[in-house]
Amino acid sequence: MQSMDDLFYALLQDVYFAEKELLKTLPELAKKSANKTLRQAFADHRDETEEHLERLEKVFEAIGKRPRGKICEAMLSIIAEGQQVIDEVEDDAVRDAAILAAAQSFEHYEIARYGTLRAWAELLGQDEIIELLSETLEEEKQADELLSSIAEGGVNESASERPQAAE
């Protein structure tokens, strides 16, 4: 990479791949969730993620590039780690708490990436791109807030009421 434009494009490819992976993961999380509100949140976020991909495709178009993802090892690791924990948990309430923790890891990664892309778009004077990235960044923050409210609204408390593991 030789320029900020190159760096922007590389990170854009990273986020595009991450969103596509998340699109595949959200239905699995919904299916494994016992909590109805959590299941609905994942279904809604899946629809939102499709919109995020559409916006990213507009960003690619604005910079004259074909939409293409580049393997994002960070997102693959976050998904794999979350999946491992979820698969190991037998109790529904505890599993829901684990699913929430994994989902917030995804959201925090995306918030960091979209924030960086938006800052770089500002630096590059890409006003149309700034608007697209800002809209998605705000939706990712709202998704994170919703997950926090679900966790604090009873999921974590239900999980903590389960019998403690034998030492």
Side-chain angles (χ1 to χ4, degrees):
M1 285 180 255
Q2 301 298 317
S3 68
M4 196 63 176
D5 288 319
D6 294 342
L7 192 57
F8 181 87
Y9 177 56
L11 189 57
L12 187 62
Q13 289 177 300
D14 175 277
V15 171
Y16 191 69
F17 179 89
E19 290 283 20
K20 283 190 168 272
E21 288 301 305
L22 190 55
L23 195 62
K24 291 188 263 182
T25 303
L26 287 167
E28 293 176 42
L29 294 177
K31 184 179 175 182
K32 292 181 179 184
S33 299
N35 182 284
K36 181 181 170 186
T37 306
L38 186 55
R39 277 195 311 271
Q40 187 60 52
F42 289 136
D44 293 345
H45 197 57
R46 186 188 184 289
D47 295 340
E48 225 174 43
T49 300
E50 288 177 342
E51 292 175 24
H52 297 170
L53 284 165
E54 289 172 15
R55 281 190 212 116
L56 287 172
E57 288 166 2
K58 290 177 184 176
V59 173
F60 278 106
E61 185 179 315
I63 63 170
K65 302 281 187 181
R66 184 175 63 83
R68 198 181 81 140
K70 179 178 73 175
I71 292 176
C72 173
E73 295 294 341
M75 184 56 91
L76 290 176
S77 294
I78 291 169
I79 290 170
E81 181 180 284
Q83 191 65 52
Q84 179 182 359
V85 172
I86 292 163
D87 289 346
E88 291 174 358
V89 177
E90 294 177 19
D91 182 86
D92 287 348
V94 176
R95 185 181 316 104
D96 282 348
I99 289 170
L100 275 163
Q104 286 197 282
S105 294
F106 309 150
E107 294 308 317
H108 293 176
Y109 180 81
E110 290 177 310
I111 290 167
R113 291 309 202 197
Y114 279 108
T116 298
L117 282 169
R118 185 182 66 186
W120 289 351
E122 289 173 1
L123 192 69
L124 296 169
Q126 296 280 355
D127 293 337
E128 176 189 351
I129 292 173
I130 294 166
E131 190 175 316
L132 292 166
L133 295 172
S134 293
E135 191 173 350
T136 300
L137 178 60
E138 287 310 307
E139 289 174 358
E140 297 294 7
K141 288 178 180 178
Q142 289 170 8
D144 181 51
E145 289 173 15
L146 176 61
L147 292 172
S148 288
S149 72
I150 293 170
E152 294 164 2
V155 169
N156 287 345
E157 187 175 336
S158 291
S160 71
E161 293 171 352
R162 297 305 193 239
Q164 299 296 313
E167 292 186 24

